[in-house]
């Protein structure tokens, strides 16, 4: 058993240095834990943001030919058609497919203009993109499709731009002054009746946000533009499908249908949203690691303070060390004595630092940011002091404490009784 009372007595003898060292450890602990918690919160937020909406889909669009074959030559555009849907839906690795077309017309209400893209979509588009509607509205139904009705669903930002008493500007509170349900707007020169407002923000199509979107039934779009090619297919793979192989199969099936080269990788574009997320997650993991390294370097500076305190303590207690060794203490006993002293210092500073970090994160979470566009885009990130983050901080404290105390402890363990008696 190590004399804890003697360890505390030696620590008390270096009060000023010890307090300054503990303060440095507290600051370093707050830095490393806050940086890691911020990185973790940002990572989790972006995961929530990118996995919502079309985060699990393969987005299929037409490209341009790079190989001349059949009626395709280099640079010729490839157009997708509604008939291609069945070719994709019958693939064994495809769970379901939803078609979307772009209606390139302005959306207006009186003299107001909305910065929005109009997408014509199938009825299953809501389920495949995980869209939700505000209470009081509804999604397209089979009757809308059968009768090619002129009905529209709009994002909340689009609704505020067109129907609020005052035009909506970036940064304004996201609140509707009037209920747009049942009111009309124009797509081009055609009147459409609003039947629903998209609620929670979701990613749709290729980088579009549901809050700014305008959706109409695909059948209604065909009514006015019967010969136009479609914009994309939203393909949901089976849960255990090989996504990369499925993307290659989709390109080959469509190329073969139109007698184009099945080896032309630019003819049909297959943008896998899930694989894009994995790239983003790897980047965020790297960012979090970088932040952790910065915090660890800060902690190493505190470790220098521990080493100084240990060296001063060893010098002060040289005669005591010699006496203890003369009565039977081994070098390992002396070494462990000072390692325990360093660990106690680290424990005090680390505990205070983690408690301060918990309080700091609690204060940050109370900052109102619900109306921030960037905050919503990033998935509403908040610092998260998870168990993994705390484990990393504790391990870092232990490692730095051992490294910082090792050399002073070895110096103490190497003192002989004769050297101790000769010291002043």
């Amino acid at each position: 058993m190590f004399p804890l009372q003697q360890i505390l007595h030696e620590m008390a003898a270096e009060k000023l240095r010890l307090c300054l060292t503990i303060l440095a450890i507290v600051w370093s602990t707050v830095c490393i834990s806050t940086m890691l918690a911020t990185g973790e919160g940002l990572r989790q937020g972006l995961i929530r943001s990118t996995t919502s909406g079309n985060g699990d889909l393969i987005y299929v669009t037409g490209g341009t030919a790079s190989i001349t074959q059949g009626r395709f030559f280099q640079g010729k555009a490839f157009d997708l058609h509604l008939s291609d849907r069945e070719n994709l839906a019958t693939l064994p690795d495809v769970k379901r497919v939803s078609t979307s077309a772009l209606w390139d017309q302005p959306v207006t209400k009186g003299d107001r203009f909305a910065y929005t893209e109009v997408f014509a979509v199938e009825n299953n588009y809501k389920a495949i993109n995980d869209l939700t509607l505000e209470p009081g509205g509804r999604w397209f139904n089979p009757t809308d499709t059968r009768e090619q009705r002129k009905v529209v669903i709009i994002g909340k930002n689009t609704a505020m731009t067109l129907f609020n008493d005052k035009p909506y500007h970036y940064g304004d509170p996201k609140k509707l002054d009037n209920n747009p349900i049942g009111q009309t707007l124009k797509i081009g020169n055609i009147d459409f009746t609003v039947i629903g407002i998209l609620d929670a923000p979701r990613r749709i199509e290729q980088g579009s946000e549901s809050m700014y979107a305008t959706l109409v039934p695909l059948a209604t779009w065909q009514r006015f533009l019967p010969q136009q090619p479609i914009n994309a297919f939203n393909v949901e793979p089976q849960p255990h499908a090989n996504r990369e192989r499925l993307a290659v199969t989709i390109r080959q099936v469509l190329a073969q249908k139109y007698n184009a080269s099945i080896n032309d990788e630019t003819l049909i574009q297959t943008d896998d949203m899930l694989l894009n997320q994995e790239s983003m997650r790897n980047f965020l993991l790297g960012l979090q690691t970088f932040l952790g390294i910065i915090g660890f370097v800060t902690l190493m500076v505190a470790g220098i303070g521990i080493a100084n305190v240990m060296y001063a303590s060893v010098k002060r207690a040289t005669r005591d060390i010699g006496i203890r060794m003369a009565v039977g203490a081994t070098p390992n006993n002396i070494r462990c004595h000072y390692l325990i002293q360093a660990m106690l210092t680290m424990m005090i500073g680390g505990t205070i630092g983690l408690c301060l970090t918990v309080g700091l994160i609690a204060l940050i979470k109370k900052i109102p940011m619900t109306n921030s566009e960037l905050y919503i885009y990033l998935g509403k990130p908040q610092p998260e002091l998870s168990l993994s983050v705390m484990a990393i901080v504790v391990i870092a404290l232990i490692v730095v404490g051992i490294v910082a105390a090792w050399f002073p402890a070895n110096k103490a363990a190497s003192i002989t009784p004769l050297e101790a008696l000769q010291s002043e």
Side-chain angles (χ1 to χ4, degrees), residues 76-282:
K76 180 178 174 61
F78 180 91
D79 293 329
L80 295 172
H81 297 87
L82 189 59
S83 61
D84 300 330
R85 183 188 190 285
E86 295 305 316
N87 297 88
L88 301 184
T90 56
L91 294 176
D93 286 337
V94 172
K95 182 178 180 180
R96 52 184 172 176
V97 181
S98 186
T99 311
S100 64
L102 182 63
W103 197 339
D104 191 14
Q105 290 290 332
V107 178
T108 57
K109 172 68 175 177
D111 59 352
R112 294 191 187 180
F113 170 81
Y115 291 93
T116 179
E117 288 184 303
V118 182
F119 293 106
V121 299
E122 291 187 276
N123 288 6
N124 65 351
Y125 191 84
K126 175 179 180 289
I128 203 171
N129 282 278
D130 188 30
L131 300 177
T132 57
L133 298 176
E134 290 201 344
R138 67 171 180 86
W139 187 253
F140 307 124
N141 58 37
T143 304
D144 296 326
T145 299
R146 185 174 59 254
E147 297 182 2
Q148 299 179 313
R149 289 178 175 175
K150 294 183 291 182
V151 290
V152 63
I153 296 171
I154 56 179
K156 191 170 184 178
N157 285 52
T158 301
M160 290 185 294
T161 300
L162 297 178
F163 295 98
N164 273 8
D165 296 333
K166 294 181 180 180
Y168 170 76
H169 298 289
Y170 180 85
D172 290 349
K174 293 185 179 299
K175 182 181 179 182
L176 281 166
D177 298 334
N178 305 294
N179 185 6
I181 304 298
Q183 299 192 49
T184 61
L185 54 78
K186 285 185 179 292
I187 299 178
N189 295 318
I190 306 170
D191 288 325
F192 277 76
T193 301
V194 179
I195 62 170
I197 309 296
L198 294 173
D199 186 10
R202 295 286 187 270
R203 294 177 186 271
I204 60 173
E205 300 301 307
Q206 204 162 22
S208 298
E209 290 289 333
S210 63
M211 301 293 281
Y212 295 91
T214 299
L215 307 178
V216 300
L218 184 66
T220 305
W221 171 81
Q222 289 180 292
R223 169 183 170 184
F224 294 98
L225 300 167
Q227 303 301 323
Q228 289 291 317
I230 65 165
N231 183 56
F233 291 112
N234 295 263
V235 178
E236 182 181 358
Q238 294 288 356
H240 304 295
N242 184 318
R243 303 177 70 94
E244 292 182 349
R245 185 172 61 195
L246 175 59
V248 172
T249 302
I250 289 171
R251 291 197 297 267
Q252 291 178 346
V253 165
L254 294 178
Q256 191 172 28
K257 177 181 178 180
Y258 292 96
N259 194 28
S261 172
I262 62 173
N263 297 317
D264 193 341
E265 295 184 357
T266 65
L267 187 68
I268 298 110
Q269 301 297 316
T270 51
D271 194 3
D272 193 320
M273 303 302 177
L274 186 61
L275 295 183
N276 291 345
Q277 294 166 29
E278 291 179 357
S279 300
M280 177 62 72
R281 291 176 190 179
N282 291 334

Side-chain angles (χ1 to χ4, degrees), residues 33-34 37-38 356-366 382-385:
S33 55
T34 302
T38 301
L356 289 176
T357 303
V358 171
L360 179 61
I361 290 175
L363 288 175
I364 292 174
K365 288 183 176 181
K366 291 183 178 180
Q382 291 183 334
E384 295 185 17
L385 194 61

Side-chain angles (χ1 to χ4, degrees), residues 232-394:
F233 291 112
N234 295 263
V235 178
E236 182 181 358
Q238 294 288 356
H240 304 295
N242 184 318
R243 303 177 70 94
E244 292 182 349
R245 185 172 61 195
L246 175 59
V248 172
T249 302
I250 289 171
R251 291 197 297 267
Q252 291 178 346
V253 165
L254 294 178
Q256 191 172 28
K257 177 181 178 180
Y258 292 96
N259 194 28
S261 172
I262 62 173
N263 297 317
D264 193 341
E265 295 184 357
T266 65
L267 187 68
I268 298 110
Q269 301 297 316
T270 51
D271 194 3
D272 193 320
M273 303 302 177
L274 186 61
L275 295 183
N276 291 345
Q277 294 166 29
E278 291 179 357
S279 300
M280 177 62 72
R281 291 176 190 179
N282 291 334
F283 168 76
L284 291 173
L285 185 60
L287 175 63
Q288 194 173 11
T289 302
F290 176 72
L291 293 174
I293 291 173
I294 295 176
F296 188 76
V297 170
T298 306
L299 194 58
M300 287 297 293
V301 174
I304 296 174
I306 291 179
N308 288 333
V309 172
M310 294 296 101
Y311 275 118
S313 181
V314 169
K315 185 176 181 180
R316 181 187 294 273
T318 299
R319 292 181 65 87
D320 292 337
I321 293 171
I323 294 172
R324 288 162 57 195
M325 296 188 73
V327 297
T330 65
N332 281 337
N333 294 142
I334 303 300
R335 188 178 292 111
C336 289
H337 175 93
Y338 287 98
L339 288 175
I340 291 173
Q341 186 173 327
M343 289 297 100
L344 283 175
T345 305
M346 273 293 186
M347 183 181 70
I348 294 170
T351 302
I352 296 173
L354 285 173
C355 290
L356 289 176
T357 303
V358 171
L360 179 61
I361 290 175
L363 288 175
I364 292 174
K365 288 183 176 181
K366 291 183 178 180
I367 298 175
M369 294 182 290
T370 54
N371 291 324
S372 170
E373 296 280 352
L374 179 61
Y375 178 67
I376 295 173
Y377 179 79
L378 294 176
K380 300 181 179 180
Q382 291 183 334
E384 295 185 17
L385 194 61
S386 61
L387 291 177
S388 59
V389 169
M390 294 183 69
I392 291 172
V393 173
V394 170

